[in-house]
Amino acid sequence: MNVIRARYLGMCFGVRDAIRLALQLPADPPVTILGDLVHNEFVLDRLRHRGIRSASTLEAVATPVVMITAHGASERVLCRARQGGFEVLEATCPLVRFAHRAAQELVRQGFRLLIVGQADHVEVRGITEDIESCDVILDAEDVERLEEHPRWGVISQTTQPVDRVLDRIERLRQRFPGSEVRWIDTVCRPTRQRQLAALELARRADVVIVAGGRHSNNTRELAATCRRWCPRVHAVQTADDLDPAWLEGASTVGLTAGTSTPDEIIDGVEARLRRLARADSPARMAALAR
Ligand code: SF4
């Protein structure tokens, strides 16, 4: 059995920089991260061990310094934090900042803002909270419930698959043929690279393993992308979650990972896959699994 890694996988520079910043902070003054720095339990545990807390709302922050994650925050929240006397550390990814600027620019030019993404995702909320009124859609059917506007300005959550965004734009054009539609592409390059690499991998593999946090949106998206080409796709948080039975009869196993998955986790999953690959029978696989 061969084990192959996707050409691009794992942590993006935005998340890596945010984690580095958090881990380099001195213990004093204490810092609270607003929300989850990354959607990965392994990393969050490491931060907790360093005494870095997190809070889901500004009201729950009890430290003098508050850190904004790579997913960003709205100007409204940043202002409230500063006015509340907090020192604000921003680890917002530059590509998320680009999406904020794109949204603001479209609104300034008089377009009705349409975001392709998850309405309740922290990154999307960071954009919508600063805009008086806009629409957020995810599924194809969501286009049907939109009301007509003469000018649509479209952006997307940075981690959305490009083909989904293009599909929703096409449906929008078909539903409102008389409307102008302007799209600013805000899908980030690391997401694009990982999605394309995952597709390539899924075409070549009999089984695909996707390593990432249970709550990570882009890990889920990667798994969904792989399922389009390979029916045997399994998501794991760590190497311990691997079930040797998943690999039975496979000659090629592919490995990919979400943008919040640390290298140690990916290496651990790969190492265990390689050990299982060396096993020459299901019985031996089962023995290795113990
Ligand atoms: S997924 Fe993209 S936008 Fe989000 S933090 Fe990573 S590089 Fe930045």
Side-chain angles (χ1 to χ4, degrees):
M1 188 175 81
N2 280 326
V3 178
I4 49 172
R5 271 187 180 227
R7 204 149 51 92
Y8 295 100
L9 78 174
M11 228 172 238
C12 60
F13 73 90
V15 169
R16 215 180 274 279
D17 289 353
I19 294 171
R20 193 176 302 132
L21 175 67
L23 291 174
Q24 282 172 354
L25 290 172
D28 195 35
V31 177
T32 302
I33 298 170
L34 196 57
D36 286 342
L37 189 60
V38 283
H39 296 132
N40 187 285
E41 272 310 310
F42 177 82
V43 179
L44 293 176
D45 266 353
R46 233 162 78 189
L47 293 166
R48 280 192 281 266
H49 279 120
R50 295 285 300 265
I52 300 172
R53 318 146 202 223
S54 65
S56 51
T57 63
L58 210 48
E59 289 66 33
V61 176
T63 56
V65 185
V66 63
M67 181 174 162
I68 305 299
T69 70
H71 298 305
S74 62
E75 271 309 312
R76 204 171 283 199
V77 165
L78 293 175
C79 280
R80 244 180 348 108
R82 291 189 185 108
Q83 281 164 5
F86 294 106
E87 182 188 334
V88 179
L89 283 179
E90 283 194 69
T92 310
C93 173
L95 302 182
V96 173
R97 284 183 198 277
F98 172 72
H100 278 248
R101 283 199 303 274
Q104 295 288 349
E105 184 56 23
L106 287 168
V107 171
R108 198 187 61 74
Q109 290 180 22
F111 288 92
R112 169 76 181 182
L113 183 67
L114 177 69
I115 304 176
V116 180
Q118 290 179 304
D120 59 350
H121 190 279
V122 59
E123 179 191 312
V124 175
R125 276 193 280 117
I127 296 170
T128 57
E129 277 170 10
D130 285 336
I131 286 161
E132 212 176 294
S133 176
C134 66
D135 291 291
V136 182
I137 60 165
L138 187 65
D139 300 323
E141 306 78 60
D142 294 342
V143 176
E144 298 307 312
R145 64 172 171 73
L146 294 172
E147 286 174 13
E148 188 160 10
H149 290 273
R151 302 174 82 210
W152 289 97
V154 185
I155 64 159
S156 74
Q157 188 177 341
T158 53
T159 49
Q160 285 295 308
V162 184
D163 51 358
R164 177 182 296 156
V165 180
L166 291 173
D167 173 83
R168 303 309 179 257
I169 290 172
E170 186 49 37
R171 285 169 192 270
L172 184 73
R173 288 200 164 112
Q174 281 172 12
R175 180 151 151 69
F176 304 116
S179 302
E180 180 186 354
V181 177
R182 167 100 43 99
W183 172 44
I184 300 183
D185 184 0
T186 55
V187 175
C188 78
R189 191 175 147 95
T191 291
R192 206 181 286 265
Q193 288 172 328
R194 279 152 187 72
Q195 289 278 343
L196 275 177
L199 270 181
E200 280 169 24
L201 185 81
R203 285 197 190 111
R204 294 171 59 197
D206 305 303
V207 176
V208 174
I209 304 297
V210 185
R214 196 177 297 126
H215 304 294
S216 158
N217 179 58
N218 75 79
T219 301
R220 270 198 300 269
E221 293 288 2
L222 270 184
T225 297
C226 292
R227 277 194 194 98
R228 284 160 47 190
W229 286 93
C230 175
R232 295 170 66 185
V233 176
H234 302 278
V236 296
Q237 296 214 89
T238 68
D240 293 343
D241 299 337
L242 279 173
D243 182 346
W246 295 340
L247 313 179
E248 270 177 39
S251 52
T252 303
V253 177
L255 172 62
T256 184
T259 50
S260 52
T261 313
D263 296 344
E264 302 94 296
I265 295 283
I266 302 172
D267 293 345
V269 173
E270 183 176 8
R272 178 136 189 251
L273 280 175
R274 291 196 184 284
R275 281 202 302 279
L276 292 169
R278 283 196 293 272
D280 51 14
S281 72
R284 202 162 154 228
M285 274 199 188
L288 275 169
R290 287 194 287 271

